Structure formats: structure tokens, C-alpha cells
């Protein structure tokens, strides 16, 4: 069995296969042998679970997941890697590599086909350049999964896990909080990767909610309101929330009825207040 966290082993595998890192795909492989066991422990509650991994690389996290889970299906975009993974993961009979783009794959169909009857979780070391789109797809698709454990850029982790209604929050904070409870688990320094990125990382956990925090009749319209307002986050909500069909008179009346100051900024509002504003302005 390969020691996939050992830098010399990694270099030997990559050299043997003529592999070079792709900056376009944001490839950084983990070379710290403590990171992936901690991620796998956080992601997999027990050996009856199935795991979807996104971007297995050469399989360092995949191997740790396979030791703990009943079945692992790893989705890899880079078509150079499946032949390498067939070698590095040859000791495991509970791993399947699926070539493709997680943004395009029908994950409902994959779960139904690969994990029949199993509880399912998702685990990934996500490329920095596409962190938010992948996370939002996983959440918005309403997949039958319990949790998502991912490694992301430290700055992104702070934003994703911030409390709604604080200065660290953004539109993505609201979106994540709507679907899941987010927690920062542990820090991962840039020296833990090869090649070493310019920034540090953080492993976070998103526990999917059984029920949404409010009764939203059109989620797309709600999140459009949130995104639009956060593009003007330094302005008062009388300016940042006044767009499209929303007049200042209607907005002012809605805020007054909800006892929300007209001088407040979008970043100061709680999830409950944001939902109340949406309901007052847009729900029929």
C-alpha cells in the first residue's frame, strides 16, 4: 500500500505517469499525513456510510475514506488521474472512480445507483477557484445526504461559516446557512500541500437541515434579493434592497412594519429578518 502523503512517494508516482500539476484545475496534493485521517474521521460517522468524494487527486483522502466507509465514489474531472488512482487505490475493493465534472453529473441518479439503502455524506478537498459554485450546487440540488465536509481556502471558510448578521457574512453565508449548519473544524497550513498554495486552508462541516429556517415560496427569487443587496453591502437597506419592482415606499413600509431600521445595512440583518423582508415584499 502506498504512503500517499509522503512527498517522495507522490513525486515517484507522478514521475512514473508523466503527470504535471494543472494550475487551471487548481491542483494541490496533500503531503501532511495528519490531515486526511482527520477529515475522514469528521466525514464518516461509521462503516455503514457511503461517501461521495469530489476531486480525489492521487487518492490520499480517498484511501482514508475507504478505510472507514462501506463505499466510496470519487468524481474526478482530470482524465489523466483515473489510471493513477487505479494503481494507488488497488488495495481497496469499495472504491469507484467516476470520470466527469461534478457540476454536470446527475448526483441524484449517482446516489440512487451507487448507494442504495446507505446513508450518504460528501467529502472533498475543493479547488479554490470553484469552491462556492460546487458547495452551492451540492446544497441547492437537495441531495439525500447528511453532511458535507470540505477543505477550502481559509478566507472562504470564515465567510461560509460566519453568523448571518455579522460583518463577516456575505450572500454565500446566507445561502449556506439557509440549507445547513456550518462549522469550522480545523486549520490546514499552506505547507501541507504540493505545490504549496499562497494561502492557508480550513476544513469545514456543513450539516444539512431537516427543515429550512423559513417558508420561502421561491428560493431563486429570495437568493436573487440577497445577492443584489450584498453587492451594495455598505449602503443602507433602503438603497441596497430597492431594485426591480421594489419601490422605496413599499420597502420603507415593509421595514417599518417589521421594526427594522431603515438605516440598517444588509450585513446587519439576521436570517429571520431577511426572510421576513422577502415575505413582506414578494410573497403572494
Amino acid at each position: 500500500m502506498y504512503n500517499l502523503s509522503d512527498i517522495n512517494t507522490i513525486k515517484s508516482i507522478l514521475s512514473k505517469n508523466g503527470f504535471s500539476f494543472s494550475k487551471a484545475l487548481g491542483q494541490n496534493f496533500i503531503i501532511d499525513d495528519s490531515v486526511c485521517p482527520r477529515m475522514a474521521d469528521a466525514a464518516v460517522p461509521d462503516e455503514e456510510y457511503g461517501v461521495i468524494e469530489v476531486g480525489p487527486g492521487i487518492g490520499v483522502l480517498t484511501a482514508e475514506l475507504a478505510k472507514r466507509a462501506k463505499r466510496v465514489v470519487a468524481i474526478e474531472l482530470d482524465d489523466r488521474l483515473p489510471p493513477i488512482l487505479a494503481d494507488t487505490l488497488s488495495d481497496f475493493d469499495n472504491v469507484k472512480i467516476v470520470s466527469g465534472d461534478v457540476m454536470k453529473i446527475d448526483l441524484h441518479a449517482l446516489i440512487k445507483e451507487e448507494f442504495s439503502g446507505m446513508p450518504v455524506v460528501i467529502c472533498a478537498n475543493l479547488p479554490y477557484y470553484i469552491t462556492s459554485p460546487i458547495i452551492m450546487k451540492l446544497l441547492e440540488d437537495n441531495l439525500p445526504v447528511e453532511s458535507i465536509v470540505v477543505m477550502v481556502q481559509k478566507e472562504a471558510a470564515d465567510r461560509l461559516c460566519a453568523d448571518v448578521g455579522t460583518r463577516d457574512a456575505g450572500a454565500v453565508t446566507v445561502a449556506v446557512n439557509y440549507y445547513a449548519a456550518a462549522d469550522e473544524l480545523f486549520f490546514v497550513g499552506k505547507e501541507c500541500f504540493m505545490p504549496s498554495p499562497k494561502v492557508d486552508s480550513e476544513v469545514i462541516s456543513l450539516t444539512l437541515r431537516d427543515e429550512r429556517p423559513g417558508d420561502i415560496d421561491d428560493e431563486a427569487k429570495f437568493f436573487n434579493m440577497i445577492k443584489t443587496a450584498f453587492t451594495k453591502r455598505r449602503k443602507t437597506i433602503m438603497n441596497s434592497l430597492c431594485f426591480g419592482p421594489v419601490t422605496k415606499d413599499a420597502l420603507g413600509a415593509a421595514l417599518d412594519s417589521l421594526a427594522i431600521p431603515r438605516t440598517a445595512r444588509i450585513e446587519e440583518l439576521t436570517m429571520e429578518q431577511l426572510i421576513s423582508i422577502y415575505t413582506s415584499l414578494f410573497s403572494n
Side-chain angles (χ1 to χ4, degrees), residues 62-96:
T62 321
E64 296 300 330
L65 294 170
K67 294 174 185 177
R68 294 161 174 80
K70 187 172 185 178
R71 182 164 176 77
V72 179
V73 175
I75 301 170
E76 178 53 59
L77 176 60
D78 190 341
D79 59 13
R80 300 173 300 166
L81 286 170
I84 297 176
L85 289 162
D87 178 25
T88 60
L89 299 174
S90 60
D91 291 323
F92 299 99
D93 60 6
N94 61 339
V95 175
K96 179 176 180 178

Side-chain angles (χ1 to χ4, degrees), residues 35 37 45 74 96-97 101 104 107 128 155 178 191-192 207 216 221 227 249 253 263 282 284:
V35 174
K96 179 176 180 178
I97 307 301
D101 184 347
K104 300 176 181 178
L107 294 176
Y128 295 154
E155 182 179 351
Y178 179 80
E191 69 279 359
C192 296
T207 304
I216 299 294
K221 185 181 289 186
K227 290 175 184 176
D249 286 344
T263 55
F282 296 106
N284 297 322

Side-chain angles (χ1 to χ4, degrees), residues 172-187:
V172 70
T173 315
V174 177
V176 167
N177 191 269
Y178 179 80
Y179 292 105
D183 294 291
E184 295 186 68
L185 299 183
F186 61 91
F187 173 87

